[in-house]
Amino acid sequence: MTTHEVPQALMVDGFRARRSFGFGGLSRNATIFAAAILTADGVIATQAPLSLLLTLPVTAVVFGLAAARRHGMSALAYYWAKVSWRRAARYDGTSYRRLLLPHPYALDLPGVGASSTLIKAHDPTSGRPVGVVHDRTTDYMTVTTLLAPGGSLMAPTGAVQSSLRTWSSVLDAMSTDEQVKGASVTIQITPGAGEALGDDVAARKDPNAPQLAKKIVDELVRTTPHATASVAPWMSVTVDPNASANPPVDLAEKVAEALRVVDSLDLSGTGTDIERRATDVDLRRIVRAAYDPDVFNARDKEFEELSWSECGPQAADDGWEEYAHDGGVSVSWVLREMPRRPISYSVLLPLLAPGRFQRRITLAYRVLDPYEGEAVLEREISHAHNTARATAEVKGRAKYSQRADAARAERAAAQVAGGAQVVDWTLMVTATARRTADLPAARQELARAVKATRGIRMRPAYGAQSAVFAAQLPIGYNPLVKD
């Protein structure tokens, strides 16, 4: 048995979750809230001392839940979300049914996509149509680029290092451009593409080829439907066209400004090739096929006449841990914690490996500008040292994990001082089963893939399944982008 050692130059680290300083494991805001509640309890007790028999136990329970952790979040936040979801479910707030309304009325996409609309524009650089998603609430524009990634597992170390450096340069460009609000990269793996591969091989097979070669090719085609997958990657960039020195005056100028900003981001050398800008038909196909996987390989004509609202589900039910929609039921997981040790550049490979069920993997980014990034890290250093100091005053010494966390914050600040950028990012994964009966198997397959990454910790998107599902589609919604 042989093992593959990843060179140290291809290891990635520097991951750290934001932490605020508070009392007894509480966050800063929770500590302020706790002080306000205790003050209110004291004021009430001056008028009715017996009220402490009720207020103090209730306050203690609330503080205990706020300090305790559940699935990587505060137990208070977890249970509050569950109560809110149950209340919404009781009033059918988690169910969606699309209605047919007479012209000129129309419905929007459900949930977080309700404020989006699709614009068909003309890209002057390529001379081809391009689809732009406009958020009518924030006036942001989202442009999606279809990609054709190349494999890097067998590439030389120098080539991979060059790709990582180039991607870092792309993030640098995002941080210094105030019009770029965020970006996301999504890879969708749809199993069972062997039939299409068989048609392609049959059309290209040479009738004069040797008989043995024909038999080998036919055998490969016969076995591929269970071992192949269709890979569809894309990158969506959210732009604020009004943040330019000369703000556009109408919608056409806003679209042109958004395309200009996205064209300035050069992805060449990042290990992927730009196939083309996504057209309005491409966006309709991606969104509609996510809700109904059976139409993934349909012809373009079937999507040309669809309105933007018709690309969404006909019916959907947003569960606590699953999302039922047209043609399937999905389960979405979100990032809980990254490893505190260096990891390989190929750590996501188990998530990208084809399985029985359709899967989407999304990395969402928001690159902080240099001043904001420096301010964030200075606060994080202060919080880390204050936490260690408070623990030392109570227990005589700080925890080793607290000292190590402070050291990581200082190393990050040193990297930023040397020109690195601070990036807020998250990871989202969705697996879709065609039948409800297959959902346990899809959930198990997803859990095994996450475990195979050996370090990345994820959890179900409790009570937010539909929002995470939509965040992986090119509809203009990025959970990290602030209004």
Side-chain angles (χ1 to χ4, degrees):
M1 181 180 66
T2 61
T3 59
H4 172 62
E5 288 291 338
V6 178
Q8 188 64 32
L10 299 183
M11 303 297 284
V12 184
D13 61 356
F15 306 106
R16 187 179 181 277
R18 289 195 187 186
R19 295 179 177 87
S20 58
F21 172 66
F23 175 77
L26 300 177
S27 65
R28 176 177 175 271
N29 292 335
T31 301
I32 296 175
F33 180 72
I37 293 296
L38 288 175
T39 302
D41 289 346
V43 171
I44 295 174
T46 59
Q47 303 296 325
L50 292 179
S51 65
L52 293 175
L53 297 176
L54 175 63
T55 59
L56 286 182
V58 172
T59 302
V61 170
V62 173
F63 291 168
L65 290 175
R69 309 297 292 176
R70 183 74 188 272
H71 301 295
M73 69 185 85
S74 119
L76 180 62
Y78 173 82
Y79 289 115
W80 180 261
K82 194 161 192 175
V83 170
S84 300
W85 177 83
R86 286 182 175 177
R87 183 175 180 274
R90 185 180 301 114
Y91 294 100
D92 293 331
T94 59
S95 298
Y96 171 81
R97 300 294 183 270
R98 188 162 68 87
L99 304 175
L100 297 178
L101 299 179
H103 184 79
Y105 302 101
L107 292 179
D108 299 315
L109 292 177
V112 295
S115 61
S116 67
T117 184
L118 179 61
I119 300 173
K120 181 179 180 179
H122 177 77
D123 188 358
T125 59
S126 63
R128 304 181 61 172
V130 61
V132 179
V133 177
H134 178 219
D135 191 314
R136 293 167 292 186
T137 301
T138 61
D139 215 18
Y140 292 167
M141 301 281 179
T142 299
V143 180
T144 299
T145 303
L146 304 183
L147 306 175
S152 61
L153 291 180
M154 299 183 67
T157 300
V160 178
Q161 283 184 289
S162 176
S163 298
L164 294 177
R165 285 193 298 266
T166 305
W167 179 247
S168 177
S169 300
V170 173
L171 296 180
D172 288 344
M174 291 183 184
S175 69
T176 55
D177 192 337
E178 60 181 9
Q179 291 184 270
V180 178
K181 295 301 179 181
S184 64
V185 178
T186 300
I187 299 179
Q188 178 174 284
I189 301 102
T190 303
E195 293 82 356
L197 178 63
D199 294 340
D200 182 64
V201 171
R204 299 169 60 184
K205 189 164 55 175
D206 186 355
N208 299 321
Q211 195 65 26
L212 178 60
K214 292 181 179 180
K215 289 183 178 180
I216 293 176
V217 169
D218 292 340
E219 179 65 18
L220 289 173
V221 169
R222 186 183 66 82
T223 57
T224 49
H226 303 287
T228 61
S230 172
V231 180
W234 63 82
M235 179 178 181
S236 298
V237 180
T238 301
V239 176
D240 181 7
N242 298 309
S244 62
N246 298 311
V249 296
D250 57 20
L251 186 61
E253 291 188 4
K254 292 177 183 178
V255 172
E257 182 68 15
L259 291 175
R260 184 195 66 77
V261 172
V262 175
D263 285 339
S264 67
L265 298 176
D266 186 10
L267 298 181
S268 60
T270 59
T272 185
D273 295 325
I274 295 179
E275 184 175 329
R276 56 183 167 82
R277 300 284 182 229
T279 65
D280 58 312
V281 175
D282 293 327
L283 297 181
R284 291 190 184 98
R285 176 189 296 275
I286 291 174
V287 176
R288 184 66 197 130
Y291 290 103
D292 187 3
D294 289 334
V295 303
F296 179 77
N297 292 316
R299 296 180 177 178
D300 287 347
K301 282 188 177 182
E302 299 185 27
F303 299 99
E304 291 176 353
E305 302 301 326
L306 284 181
S307 66
W308 188 234
S309 63
E310 290 175 329
C311 297
Q314 303 288 331
D317 293 298
D318 191 5
W320 178 247
E321 293 189 46
E322 68 280 332
Y323 182 49
H325 48 85
D326 301 348
V329 56
S330 298
V331 55
S332 297
W333 285 28
V334 295
L335 181 66
R336 174 176 173 178
E337 184 181 7
M338 284 295 292
R340 300 178 183 179
R341 56 176 173 79
I343 59 175
S344 167
Y345 75 100
S346 58
V347 66
L348 295 181
L349 188 60
L351 289 174
L352 300 174
R356 289 179 53 197
F357 305 98
Q358 186 186 71
R359 190 184 303 164
R360 273 187 306 281
I361 300 93
T362 298
L363 284 168
Y365 299 91
R366 184 177 78 92
V367 186
L368 281 60
D369 66 70
Y371 297 105
E372 182 184 1
E374 183 179 358
V376 166
L377 287 177
E378 288 298 329
R379 287 198 301 268
E380 290 297 305
I381 292 174
S382 298
H383 293 159
H385 283 293
N386 289 337
T387 301
R389 189 179 303 111
T391 303
E393 291 175 356
V394 175
K395 298 185 177 181
R397 68 173 183 86
K399 296 180 180 178
Y400 183 81
S401 59
Q402 293 172 339
R403 296 198 300 268
D405 183 63
R408 284 195 298 270
E410 292 179 350
R411 283 198 302 271
Q415 292 173 350
V416 170
Q421 300 298 333
V422 181
V423 180
D424 277 344
W425 70 281
T426 188
L427 175 65
M428 298 170 283
V429 183
T430 294
T432 299
R434 302 297 179 91
R435 302 179 304 163
T436 304
D438 293 332
L439 184 60
R443 185 179 284 113
Q444 183 182 55
E445 181 180 275
L446 180 56
R448 287 176 176 172
V450 172
K451 187 177 180 180
T453 61
R454 298 184 179 181
I456 296 180
R457 301 181 66 187
M458 303 189 71
R459 62 168 175 82
Y462 297 111
Q465 290 287 318
S466 63
V468 174
F469 184 95
Q472 298 182 266
L473 303 178
I475 64 172
Y477 171 68
N478 187 325
L480 300 180
V481 174
K482 311 298 182 184
D483 295 341

